[in-house]
Each structure stands twice: as C-alpha cells, then as structure tokens.
Amino acid sequence: MNFDYAFAWSIIPDLLRGLVVTIQVVVLGFLLAVLVGLILAITQGSKFVAVRRLTKAYLSFFRNTPLMVQLYVLFFAFPLAGITLPAISTGVIGLGLYYGTYIADAFRGAIDGIPAGQWDAAKALDFDTSTTWQRIVLPQTIKPMLPILGNYLIGMFKETPLLAVITIPELFQAAKQVAGMTYRYNEPYTLMALMFLAISIPTSLLFKYLERRSHV
C-alpha cells in the first residue's frame, strides 16, 4: 500500500496525455450536447405532430438505454452497416447525443418560463422567427441554465471512463495501462482522481462565477 512519489512523478506525462484527450472529447461532446438539446427543446414544441413524435421517440431511446450500450452500437455495430467512425469522434457523438436529451429538458423549462407577453411583443414588432430566438429567447434561456449546464459538464467528465470500452486513450485508460504494465495501482489511480478533481472544481467555480455575473 506504499505510495512511491518518484514513480508517481514519472507517470504524470502518460496521464497528462490521457487528460488532454479527455478534455478534448468532453468539451466537443458538451458543445454538441448543447446544440442537440436546443434542437430537441424546439422540436418538442413543434406544431407538427410527426416532429413531436420523432422527438419523443429519440428522447425515450437515449434516456432509457445506457450510455455504454450506445457507445458500443456507434463503434461496433455501425461499421456493419458501412458507417465507420474514429474512436474519438464516436466518443464525442455518443456523449453529445446522450447528454443532449437531458439538456433539452433544461432548455424546454427555460423557454417555457419566458412570459407570453414577450412572444406577443416580438410579433407586434414584426420580428421574424430567427430574430425572436436570437435576440429575445436564447439570451433569457442561458442565464437560468448556467448551473445546470455546469453540472452536466462535470457529469460528462465523470462518464469518460466508459470511453475506454471503445479504445479512446483517455485518462482512465491511461491509468489502467500504467497499472497493467507496472502492477502498481495506487499511484496511477490516485493521480487520476486528483486530475479529475483538478478539472471538476475549477469548472464548478467557473459556472458559479458566470451565474453570478449573469445576475449583475
């Protein structure tokens, strides 16, 4: 159970390479999730029944199946249909599609919270749909969503060990490889936990700061 500080120091470069991959996949996946969530929030309120039903089916599928299964399908089943994606792209898409279903609810709640009078005022001013969303709706939805988005971003970092199943060399996979080659487990997994904390805590503080700024 001894902790070898010299050994721990020597494996930091290997873990940092995994950390860079983790940050890359999570940030891109988060941006995709926000975009998907916004689209789903809008289509949930569509006047077309078929669009609402397709949205409901999408939400039901992604919320009721594990993320790991979705990653397996994207990475191992899709090539059987002739669709092959690089591992990192698969991870980004998998995280984005999965978390987008939950961010959609946050968007929908924020959109529903906008007073009806503001929609009526936009119509009275002859704003088109694009202008209404860009200048009135979206600026007001972002503020209440900041703490929710921060929680989901941190949650995505916690989910990244699942990406090891599709061979993405993220932080957990890097720690696992070091442990497998050296038969030392305390150092790589302890450093991995510290690195996750080094990401999660500043991320949480950043979103709290942005939330406070939005109320100024």
Side-chain angles (χ1 to χ4, degrees), residues 76-158:
F76 295 108
F78 271 35
L80 300 177
I83 303 174
T84 302
L85 298 172
I88 290 180
S89 297
T90 302
V92 170
I93 293 171
L95 288 174
L97 296 181
Y98 179 77
Y99 274 92
T101 61
Y102 295 97
I103 292 176
D105 275 349
F107 266 122
R108 190 70 249 168
I111 291 169
D112 290 343
I114 295 176
Q118 296 195 26
W119 296 94
D120 295 335
K123 290 181 180 179
L125 293 170
D126 200 26
F127 285 176
D128 59 28
T129 302
S130 176
T131 302
T132 300
W133 280 92
Q134 290 179 20
R135 296 189 178 182
I136 298 176
V137 179
L138 291 181
Q140 294 184 78
T141 60
I142 295 299
K143 291 180 181 180
M145 285 186 60
L146 282 174
I148 300 172
L149 291 176
N151 288 336
Y152 280 129
L153 179 57
I154 293 171
M156 291 175 76
F157 276 110
K158 295 178 182 178

Side-chain angles (χ1 to χ4, degrees), residues 38-200:
L38 177 59
I39 293 172
L40 291 173
I42 294 172
T43 56
Q44 282 184 84
S46 172
K47 62 182 179 180
F48 300 106
V49 175
V51 173
R52 293 201 304 270
R53 287 179 177 175
L54 285 173
T55 302
K56 185 177 180 180
Y58 177 95
L59 294 171
S60 178
F61 173 79
F62 279 92
R63 288 176 181 171
N64 293 301
T65 56
L67 176 57
M68 182 179 290
V69 172
Q70 296 168 22
L71 292 171
Y72 262 106
V73 170
L74 286 171
F75 192 68
F76 295 108
F78 271 35
L80 300 177
I83 303 174
T84 302
L85 298 172
I88 290 180
S89 297
T90 302
V92 170
I93 293 171
L95 288 174
L97 296 181
Y98 179 77
Y99 274 92
T101 61
Y102 295 97
I103 292 176
D105 275 349
F107 266 122
R108 190 70 249 168
I111 291 169
D112 290 343
I114 295 176
Q118 296 195 26
W119 296 94
D120 295 335
K123 290 181 180 179
L125 293 170
D126 200 26
F127 285 176
D128 59 28
T129 302
S130 176
T131 302
T132 300
W133 280 92
Q134 290 179 20
R135 296 189 178 182
I136 298 176
V137 179
L138 291 181
Q140 294 184 78
T141 60
I142 295 299
K143 291 180 181 180
M145 285 186 60
L146 282 174
I148 300 172
L149 291 176
N151 288 336
Y152 280 129
L153 179 57
I154 293 171
M156 291 175 76
F157 276 110
K158 295 178 182 178
E159 295 277 15
T160 52
L162 294 178
L163 301 177
V165 303
I166 57 172
T167 71
I168 293 180
E170 42 73 54
L171 180 55
F172 175 77
Q173 181 77 338
K176 184 179 178 181
Q177 288 179 348
V178 170
M181 290 186 296
T182 62
Y183 298 101
R184 297 192 65 92
Y185 300 92
N186 288 341
E187 294 85 357
Y189 288 123
T190 298
L191 289 176
M192 179 190 71
L194 292 174
M195 287 182 179
F196 272 123
L197 282 175
I199 294 173
S200 298

